[in-house]
Amino acid sequence: MNIRPLKCFSQVLVSVLFICLHQACGADDDANDDANYTNYSWNNDDTQIQYWSDYSILPKRCIVYKGVDVIVFSMHEKAGQQCSDEPVGTYKLDVPTFVESYLYQIEDNAENEGVDDYAESANAQYLDCTGVEINGEQFYSQLGCSDTSTAELAVNIYTDNTCETKADSNGYDDANVDVSDIAPPFQKCVGCVVWFDKNDDEIDDQYYDNHRTDSPLCSSAWAYKETCDKKCQRVGMEAVTREGWNSSDKVLLGILGIFAVGLLSGIYRKRQRMTNKNALLEQAAMSAAGSSDKVLLGILGIFGK
C-alpha cells in the first residue's frame, strides 16, 4: 500500500488546522485589544467617534418617560459654539448610568488636574438599588428624577428590590436626601474634554493627542444612548410665555374691529342723509369750535339720535 498520499494528506490537514488555530487566536487577541481600547465609542448604528475634544454635551432635563427616570441630553459636534449649533441628536439615558458616567468624568478631571485627595461623594451609593428601612418597613432607594423640578435629581423610594415600583405617598416618592453634589449641570453646555495647564515635565509626547479621546461622560452617554423622539422631547418642557397678542386677545380685537367698522358705517350713512340745513349748522358749529374733535363727536352724537 502506498502511504505517500496519506502522508501528504496528513501534512495538509495539520497545516490547515494550524492556520485555523492561529486565526482564531488572532481574532481573540483582536477582541481583547478592542475591549481594552476605550478611546473609541460606537452607537447603535456603528457611528464611530475618536476625538471627543470636538464635541460638547448638553444635559437638558430629568423626566420620567414610559415609567423610567431618564436624563434627556443633546450632543453637539462644534465644541467652540457652546451648544448653540444644531445638535447631532437628542437622546435619553437612564439616570444611574448617566450620573455614573458624570462622576467618572469628575474623577478623570481631578486626576488630570493633579488632585491627589479626590474622594467620590457618599451619594454615589444611590446609583444602585439599595434596601432601606423606613418606620420599620422594608423599602428600596435609587437615584432618579425629582418630583418638583426637571432640573433636579432625587432619591426615589421603591417597594421592590428591582426599583421599578415607586412607593407613592401623596403624589411624591422622593426621600429627603440632598444629592445636588452629584447632579449634572442641567441646561449648561459641557465640553466633552476638559483641558488643564500642564508642565512639560509632567506629560509625555502623546498626552495631548490621547487626552482628545478621553471623555468618560460623552463616550459612555454616546455608547448607551437611546433616541429621544418628539414625544419624549415634549415631556417636561415648560410652557413658553410669548410676548404679544395671544389667541383671546386676537379674538377680542377682531370683535372690537367689527364693531368699530359697523359704527363708522352707520354714522357715514346718517351723514349722507343729512339735510342741507343740518350740514350748514354742523359746519358753522365746527368753525366756531375750531374743528374740535370733542365737539364734532358730540354733534355726530346729536344728529345720530
Side-chain angles (χ1 to χ4, degrees):
M1 180 178 178
N2 189 2
I3 64 173
R4 184 177 179 82
L6 293 176
K7 184 177 180 181
C8 293
F9 177 78
S10 300
Q11 290 176 344
V12 172
L13 181 61
V14 171
S15 299
V16 171
L17 289 174
F18 177 79
I19 294 172
C20 291
L21 289 173
H22 177 73
Q23 290 180 343
C25 292
D28 290 339
D29 291 339
D30 291 341
N32 290 333
D33 289 342
D34 289 340
N36 294 327
Y37 190 65
T38 58
N39 288 339
Y40 291 84
S41 292
W42 286 262
N43 68 349
N44 295 332
D45 59 5
D46 294 332
T47 301
Q48 175 181 314
I49 296 177
Q50 179 181 6
Y51 294 114
W52 285 108
S53 56
D54 300 331
Y55 288 79
S56 296
I57 188 171
L58 177 62
K60 292 189 170 184
R61 55 189 169 275
C62 189
I63 63 172
V64 179
Y65 186 67
K66 294 184 178 180
V68 180
D69 290 37
V70 298
I71 290 178
V72 177
F73 67 95
S74 58
M75 193 72 74
H76 300 256
E77 60 180 340
K78 296 180 180 178
Q81 296 193 11
Q82 294 297 310
C83 300
S84 61
D85 58 311
E86 187 72 19
V88 175
T90 301
Y91 311 100
K92 57 183 173 69
L93 185 61
D94 65 277
V95 173
T97 301
F98 191 98
V99 174
E100 183 178 23
S101 304
Y102 175 64
L103 294 181
Y104 281 142
Q105 182 69 60
I106 293 177
E107 182 179 1
D108 186 72
N109 292 345
E111 180 181 347
N112 279 279
E113 195 175 7
V115 177
D116 298 327
D117 58 348
Y118 171 79
E120 188 176 66
S121 169
N123 286 326
Q125 64 179 310
Y126 298 113
L127 293 173
D128 299 320
C129 187
T130 307
V132 59
E133 187 173 305
I134 302 176
N135 297 328
E137 294 186 44
Q138 182 66 37
F139 291 93
Y140 298 86
S141 62
Q142 189 174 32
L143 192 67
C145 299
S146 171
D147 290 328
T148 58
S149 173
T150 57
E152 296 178 1
L153 300 182
V155 176
N156 292 331
I157 304 299
Y158 299 84
T159 58
D160 60 314
N161 59 5
T162 58
C163 289
E164 296 179 354
T165 306
K166 292 185 177 180
D168 193 356
S169 177
N170 296 323
Y172 294 92
D173 52 57
D174 296 348
N176 189 22
V177 179
D178 182 9
V179 291
S180 58
D181 61 328
I182 63 173
F186 290 103
Q187 295 299 327
K188 180 180 179 181
C189 187
V190 179
C192 289
V193 174
V194 181
W195 295 99
F196 299 95
D197 293 332
K198 293 283 187 179
N199 297 324
D200 292 339
D201 56 352
E202 294 179 311
I203 59 176
D204 56 29
D205 295 337
Q206 300 299 319
Y207 171 78
Y208 290 106
D209 192 57
N210 290 336
H211 192 54
R212 293 175 62 193
T213 68
D214 182 21
S215 180
L217 172 59
C218 292
S219 60
S220 179
W222 185 256
Y224 298 107
K225 71 185 186 303
E226 295 180 354
T227 299
C228 183
D229 56 21
K230 296 298 183 182
K231 182 179 179 180
C232 166
Q233 294 181 40
R234 287 194 295 268
V235 177
M237 290 187 65
E238 297 181 358
V240 179
T241 303
R242 298 180 179 178
E243 297 181 358
W245 299 92
N246 57 30
S247 300
S248 300
D249 294 335
K250 292 178 180 179
V251 171
L252 179 60
L253 181 62
I255 294 174
L256 291 176
I258 294 173
F259 176 76
V261 170
L263 178 62
L264 292 176
S265 177
I267 293 175
Y268 176 78
R269 287 196 301 271
K270 287 189 176 184
R271 287 178 58 80
Q272 288 292 98
R273 295 195 297 268
M274 287 177 62
T275 62
N276 291 334
K277 178 180 178 181
N278 289 338
L280 291 173
L281 289 174
E282 179 188 273
Q283 185 176 2
M286 290 178 61
S287 299
S291 298
S292 172
D293 291 339
K294 293 182 179 180
V295 175
L296 175 60
L297 292 174
I299 294 174
L300 290 176
I302 293 173
F303 284 100
K305 293 181 180 180

